[in-house]
């Protein structure tokens, strides 16, 4: 391209470029766990030195793998609720709507104003899809989600770890109060894993401030915020449907990783919760 999209983001927001590049790297492979041509187009059109992320190959694949696992949960929700509302909290440059759109879902992508401004260089609002510039620690976006109508699925991919624990608790409380019965997908990082992440090469190329750590996803249940854990997986435990679609070498690799490195992998969990009205 003769003109590339400039990127001006805050320190935390800049981390959205890591999963974007991870998906693009995986999508370029002849056989991959994730088909995401839009991510390739965006990487090619953004003025950013993505090559400096190449030293973190393992982290890049992990980004693609977690996205594929979350996609399966979204497809499962849409199988039960074809016209439900899916909300991406801290959407970054995710292309999930493009990958899982069933023709009837209502979709809302939420992120901070600088991120939404960047998204609008690549995406536009449609009848069933729109973007909202807002902080997920505030309440205004919830009014818009309620108006969209349920059932609801909220997805937060590599976002809540950048909030203080009390902000995460507050988010669950507010969702349970305003969207009772909603599904919530989010990931959790143990303290040890966060320390390892911050020591890796990727820490040298951009600032990362991960605040909330959670070594046990059931800890959220014990908060008394109305959340019940339905399912939890590490990256070596893809759903059966996803596993069947994976290239054979990936299926074998995931099985070996889960069997031999399960405890280490458990420092990072992908979790599916359901919320109800909190106890008064």
């Amino acid at each position: 391209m003769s003109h590339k999209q400039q990127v001006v983001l805050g320190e935390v927001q800049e981390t959205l470029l890591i999963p974007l590049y991870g998906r693009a790297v995986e999508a370029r492979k002849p056989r991959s766990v994730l088909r995401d041509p839009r991510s390739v187009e965006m990487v090619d059109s953004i003025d950013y030195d993505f090559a400096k992320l190449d030293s973190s190959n393992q982290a890049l694949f992990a980004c693609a793998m977690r996205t594929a696992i979350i996609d399966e949960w979204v497809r499962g929700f849409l199988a039960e609720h074809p016209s439900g509302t899916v909300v991406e909290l801290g959407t970054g440059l995710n292309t999930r709507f493009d990958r899982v759109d069933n023709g009837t879902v209502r979709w809302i992508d939420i992120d901070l104003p600088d991120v939404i401004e960047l998204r609008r260089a690549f995406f536009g609002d449609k009848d069933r899809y729109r973007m909202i510039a807002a902080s997920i620690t505030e309440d205004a976006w919830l009014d818009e989600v309620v108006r969209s109508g349920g059932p609801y699925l909220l997805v937060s991919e590599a976002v809540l770890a950048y909030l203080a624990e009390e902000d995460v608790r507050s988010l669950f409380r507010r969702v349970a109060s305003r969207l009772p019965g909603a599904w919530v997908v989010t990931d959790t990082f143990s303290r040890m894993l966060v320390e390892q992440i911050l020591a890796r090469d990727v820490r040298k190329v951009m600032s990362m401030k991960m605040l909330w750590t959670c070594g046990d996803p059931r800890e959220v249940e014990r908060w008394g915020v109305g959340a019940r854990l339905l399912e939890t997986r590490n990256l070596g435990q893809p759903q059966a449907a996803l596993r069947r679609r994976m290239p054979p070498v990936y299926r074998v690799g995931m099985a070996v990783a889960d069997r031999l490195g399960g405890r280490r992998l458990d420092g990072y969990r992908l979790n599916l919760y359901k919320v109800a009205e909190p106890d008064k």
Side-chain angles (χ1 to χ4, degrees), residues 15-267:
T15 61
L16 64 84
L17 298 173
I18 301 174
L20 170 65
Y21 189 53
R23 296 195 312 272
V25 169
E26 184 65 17
R28 291 184 196 272
K29 297 176 182 177
R31 303 191 66 186
S32 69
V33 300
L34 193 70
R35 295 179 180 177
D36 194 354
R38 288 297 299 276
S39 68
V40 176
E41 294 172 8
M42 284 190 286
V43 165
D44 288 344
S45 65
I46 290 175
D47 184 14
Y48 186 82
D49 182 16
F50 286 99
K52 65 185 180 181
L53 302 178
D54 285 336
S55 61
S56 303
N57 288 333
Q58 188 175 16
L60 294 175
F61 176 73
C63 288
M65 194 68 216
R66 80 181 179 207
T67 297
I69 290 174
I70 293 174
D71 281 0
E72 284 303 298
W73 275 330
V74 177
R75 291 187 181 101
F77 171 81
L78 293 179
E80 293 188 29
H81 310 290
S83 299
T85 295
V86 176
V87 184
E88 287 263 9
L89 302 176
T91 184
L93 290 177
N94 211 330
T95 56
R96 183 165 283 118
F97 176 76
D98 291 347
R99 292 192 303 271
V100 304
D101 180 23
N102 64 351
T104 55
V105 63
R106 290 159 288 170
W107 198 284
I108 301 174
D109 277 337
I110 299 172
D111 214 316
L112 295 172
D114 56 348
V115 177
I116 294 300
E117 182 180 358
L118 178 59
R119 278 192 70 85
R120 291 194 182 279
F122 304 102
F123 304 96
D125 291 345
K126 305 175 184 177
D127 289 343
R128 295 180 293 104
Y129 170 83
R130 59 197 174 106
M131 293 170 278
I132 297 176
S135 169
I136 63 174
T137 61
E138 299 171 351
D139 287 330
W141 63 270
L142 272 167
D143 296 333
E144 296 296 321
V145 173
V146 170
R147 281 193 283 270
S148 180
Y152 304 98
L153 167 63
L154 278 65
V155 177
S156 169
E157 182 177 350
V159 172
L160 298 192
Y162 295 96
L163 301 182
E165 181 177 305
E166 183 49 46
D167 287 330
V168 180
R169 292 186 185 223
S170 175
L171 176 63
F172 271 98
R173 289 191 198 100
R174 290 181 290 128
V175 169
S177 177
R178 300 293 304 279
L179 310 172
W183 297 18
V184 179
V185 172
T186 193
D187 41 8
T188 49
F189 299 74
S190 71
R191 181 179 298 276
M192 181 178 296
L193 179 60
V194 168
E195 291 173 353
Q196 292 172 352
I197 290 172
L198 297 181
R200 289 177 186 160
D201 290 346
V202 71
R203 178 67 176 89
K204 300 175 183 177
V205 300
M206 62 177 62
S207 177
M208 298 176 68
K209 299 178 180 178
M210 304 178 78
L211 302 177
W212 176 51
T213 60
C214 177
D216 177 6
R218 293 199 177 277
E219 179 183 333
V220 175
E221 290 183 322
R222 296 191 287 270
W223 286 349
V225 293
R228 178 166 57 93
L229 183 65
L230 301 181
E231 194 174 336
T232 182
R233 299 176 178 274
N234 65 37
L235 292 176
Q237 299 168 334
Q239 299 93 332
L242 174 56
R243 189 183 296 272
R244 287 192 295 269
R245 295 199 305 271
M246 292 169 64
V249 66
Y250 282 14
R251 291 200 297 270
V252 173
M254 290 293 98
V256 171
D258 184 42
R259 184 166 60 249
L260 300 182
R263 180 172 297 181
R264 181 173 58 85
L265 290 176
D266 281 343

Side-chain angles (χ1 to χ4, degrees), residues 1-6 44-47:
M1 291 182 60
S2 58
H3 174 72
K4 288 202 171 189
Q5 179 66 40
Q6 300 296 310
D44 288 344
S45 65
I46 290 175
D47 184 14

